[in-house]
Structure formats: C-alpha cells, structure tokens
Amino acid sequence: MGKVTCSITISADGYSAGHNQSEERPFGDDAGDGWGSRLHAWYTETPVENKAEIEEMATAKAYIMGRNMFGPVRGAWDRQWNGWWGDEPPYHAPVFVLTHHAREPQPMAGGTTFHFVTDGIEAALDRAREAAGDGDVAIAGGATTLNQYLAAGLLDELRLSIAPLTLGAGTRVFDGVPPLKLEQVKSRPASLVTHVTYRVLH
C-alpha cells in the first residue's frame, strides 16, 4: 500500500486561501488577483527551478479533494460544473470529491474521472486506495479537507510549499487539528518558495 500524502502551498502565516472565495476569485482575498497568482508564483513563474516538487505532486495514483476545491457550486448540483481545470484536468487519475450531494462520475479528457463521495473522508480514502493499488493517494486540498485527514490520523506525509507573503486571515492549515508529532524529511529553499516535507508520526 502506498502513502497518503498532501502537497499544499501556504502563506508564511499558514493560509492556503483568503476569505471571500467565489467563482470570480477562487482563492478569495489572497493579496493578489484572487486566483492565487502570488501564492503560487513559484509554480507558474519558476517551474524549472521547482521541477522536482512539481513532478512529485503528479506521482499519486488517486486524489481526494473537498467540494470547495472542486468548484463554487453549493448545495444540490444545479448546473454541470466539471472543475476549474478545463476539459483536461492535470490529475490524469481518479479524483474523489467529498460532497453531501450525490452525482454520477464525471470522466474528463486525459484520464481524470471525478467521483463524488457522500459518506465521508474514510470512505473516500478507501475508494482512493482501491483505485491507487500500490501507488500513493494524494489529498489535493483544500486546507479544510487536509485538516480533516490530519485530525483523523490518516495522513502519512505533508509537503508544504511556503510562499513569502502573509494573508492575515482565511483558510488555514492545522486549524482544528490536535497536536501532531512531525519528522522533517527534507527542506529546500528556492527563490519564490521554501519546500518542507514532514513525515506524520502516528
């Protein structure tokens, strides 16, 4: 069985998104354009410098994300929303979306299929593990979903990419999570980010 991992970009004060998220500003009040341009500048502006970390994010064989990360639609599925990523999302693997509202699986170009899970984080992990086989399962985000897996003791490895800015408020990693014992596996500074990987000790 592979590891359960999470790669997530946060501000220096721990936020992965600001308040007031919307369809027009999916990252909310993020000290930029609302699309995470400053927070994720390391990914978009310096991909060669961060090639190893970007490639590592794509090695999982299945993914789990919260409904808020999948899109802005709330409540019942009143329109056909297929994610922020266009016709060919970057996952190229099964993605299990946590939701309270059932929906048929949504296949996309490039090998991604979104599956909608209504019976909680452990059920989503069971299905993702089955889909991943011996490969890793990645918690794709956002912070609220990550925090649920951390609080439940279900995460093996946490990969933080820390951007040199503060947001002051928003959705924060570790909120509502009991104290954790972490072992630092590696760290690497780059021009627009610092990457730190922790093993979560159970």
Side-chain angles (χ1 to χ4, degrees), residues 94-189:
V95 179
F96 296 88
V97 180
L98 297 165
T99 177
H100 296 294
H101 298 271
R103 177 177 161 179
E104 290 299 309
Q106 179 62 53
M108 306 291 287
T112 298
T113 297
F114 293 111
H115 302 269
F116 301 89
V117 182
T118 59
D119 42 358
I121 64 170
E122 293 191 13
L125 182 56
D126 287 343
R127 291 183 61 185
R129 278 182 162 145
E130 183 177 2
D134 293 334
D136 290 350
V137 172
I139 310 303
T144 300
T145 297
L146 167 59
N147 291 343
Q148 291 180 64
Y149 281 95
L150 284 171
L154 297 174
L155 196 80
D156 299 314
E157 189 170 282
L158 178 60
R159 305 164 183 167
L160 298 177
S161 296
I162 305 166
L165 75 159
T166 61
L167 297 185
T171 308
R172 185 175 177 273
V173 173
F174 302 121
D175 274 355
V177 177
L180 300 172
K181 187 174 182 182
L182 305 174
E183 177 186 354
Q184 184 167 309
V185 176
K186 58 184 176 180
S187 64
R188 188 180 74 84

Side-chain angles (χ1 to χ4, degrees), residues 7-170:
S7 299
I8 191 167
T9 299
I10 60 173
S11 62
D13 52 349
Y15 296 97
S16 67
H19 285 317
N20 303 312
Q21 291 170 269
S22 67
E23 188 168 344
E24 293 73 29
R25 296 176 62 86
F27 285 89
D29 300 331
D30 64 353
D33 60 2
W35 284 83
S37 58
R38 290 188 61 200
L39 197 62
H40 295 93
W42 70 271
Y43 185 94
T44 58
E45 297 178 18
T46 56
V48 173
E49 184 184 13
N50 297 284
K51 184 173 184 285
E53 288 78 14
I54 292 170
E55 289 179 347
E56 187 177 51
M57 290 165 59
T59 59
K61 299 303 182 186
Y63 296 83
I64 297 169
M65 70 174 61
R67 182 163 174 180
N68 192 50
M69 180 168 174
F70 179 69
V73 181
R74 297 291 176 266
W77 297 99
D78 59 356
R79 61 178 166 131
Q80 187 66 26
W81 177 270
N82 294 331
W84 302 102
W85 305 278
D87 293 334
E88 187 170 346
Y91 301 102
H92 310 295
V95 179
F96 296 88
V97 180
L98 297 165
T99 177
H100 296 294
H101 298 271
R103 177 177 161 179
E104 290 299 309
Q106 179 62 53
M108 306 291 287
T112 298
T113 297
F114 293 111
H115 302 269
F116 301 89
V117 182
T118 59
D119 42 358
I121 64 170
E122 293 191 13
L125 182 56
D126 287 343
R127 291 183 61 185
R129 278 182 162 145
E130 183 177 2
D134 293 334
D136 290 350
V137 172
I139 310 303
T144 300
T145 297
L146 167 59
N147 291 343
Q148 291 180 64
Y149 281 95
L150 284 171
L154 297 174
L155 196 80
D156 299 314
E157 189 170 282
L158 178 60
R159 305 164 183 167
L160 298 177
S161 296
I162 305 166
L165 75 159
T166 61
L167 297 185

